Amino acid sequence: MEQTMPVHSSLVANSAKHKEDTKKSVDKMALRVWIRMFACTQLVEKRVRKLLRKKYNTTLPRFDVLAQLDSSNGTLSMGDLSQRLMVTTGNVTGLIDLMEQEGLVERHPHPTDRRSTLVQMTALGEQLCSTAMPAHQEWIQEMLKGMTEDELSQLHQLLGKTKAAIAAREEQWEQKRTRAE
């Protein structure tokens, strides 16, 4: 005689399978989203690098330094610059060495902290920044021209939420690591 599963048990089993399938689907989608975000970033970065080199004979890292200095009235400490660029101080030091040789920036001792050095844009750096910044903005606008204002707004909000979620997870991982030590 064939035994049948009670209706309730069958629903519970189906519900559990649905939850498992949904989790797998969400996990797959998370990976797909990451790959898509990375691809978009790579495409934009490739285009910007090419245009900076062609039109201004400079590189994206140099432009990024100038943009960060510009947003802080022309001067930042090496440590602050490193944090804003999200690179090591060693990377910033090498970059600033080259930019100083090109006359784009200059270094000064920090007036109150002997361990710190300030980086300041020169007139040549300011000139490059003032011409390249508007062009950079136009390039980005041109690349995203196929999207409506509402779509851009939604994307901006979703990416903000994504950034916050990642930062929260990073903080949780850091707390676990600290407790484990």
Side-chain angles (χ1 to χ4, degrees):
M1 178 184 261
E2 184 179 313
Q3 288 188 329
T4 59
M5 197 185 279
V7 173
H8 175 72
S9 296
S10 174
L11 291 175
V12 170
N14 285 338
S15 177
K17 179 159 176 30
H18 177 71
K19 284 181 184 176
E20 185 179 314
D21 290 346
T22 300
K23 183 185 178 335
K24 285 180 184 175
S25 177
V26 168
D27 289 348
K28 261 188 175 175
M29 185 53 71
L31 184 57
R32 290 177 68 199
V33 166
W34 157 242
I35 291 168
R36 179 73 48 92
M37 286 191 314
F38 187 69
C40 290
T41 300
Q42 293 289 85
L43 287 169
V44 170
E45 188 175 312
K46 181 179 177 181
R47 181 79 178 143
V48 168
R49 283 179 188 277
K50 185 177 184 176
L51 289 167
L52 283 170
R53 174 66 67 198
K54 182 179 177 183
K55 298 197 181 276
Y56 298 100
N57 194 31
T58 196
T59 65
L60 184 56
R62 287 177 178 92
F63 175 79
D64 288 342
V65 167
L66 295 175
Q68 289 302 323
L69 290 170
D70 183 64
S71 73
S72 23
N73 298 318
T75 304
L76 280 171
S77 72
M78 292 283 280
D80 287 340
L81 195 51
S82 172
Q83 283 183 321
R84 286 175 176 227
L85 295 172
M86 297 182 279
V87 297
T88 66
T89 52
N91 284 346
V92 169
T93 299
L95 185 55
I96 296 303
D97 287 346
L98 293 171
M99 292 178 73
E100 197 170 31
Q101 290 171 12
E102 294 171 3
L104 298 171
V105 298
E106 53 192 17
R107 290 182 237 215
H108 302 286
H110 195 287
T112 59
D113 183 356
R114 293 183 319 166
R115 297 167 298 159
S116 184
T117 300
L118 296 177
V119 178
Q120 183 175 23
M121 266 197 288
T122 62
L124 184 61
E126 288 174 5
Q127 180 184 4
L128 175 57
C129 189
S130 69
T131 57
M133 290 280 279
H136 176 266
Q137 185 174 347
E138 286 176 24
W139 301 336
I140 302 299
Q141 288 170 340
E142 180 63 31
M143 283 184 260
L144 297 176
K145 215 174 202 170
M147 298 180 71
T148 67
E149 188 175 341
D150 282 346
E151 289 168 336
L152 288 171
S153 180
Q154 288 172 4
L155 181 58
H156 184 260
Q157 288 175 338
L158 288 171
L159 289 173
K161 190 173 180 178
T162 304
K163 182 180 175 183
I166 294 167
R169 290 295 293 152
E170 186 64 34
E171 190 174 310
Q172 290 172 351
W173 292 323
E174 186 61 29
Q175 288 171 356
K176 281 182 183 178
R177 188 190 63 78
T178 304
R179 283 193 299 260
E181 291 176 352

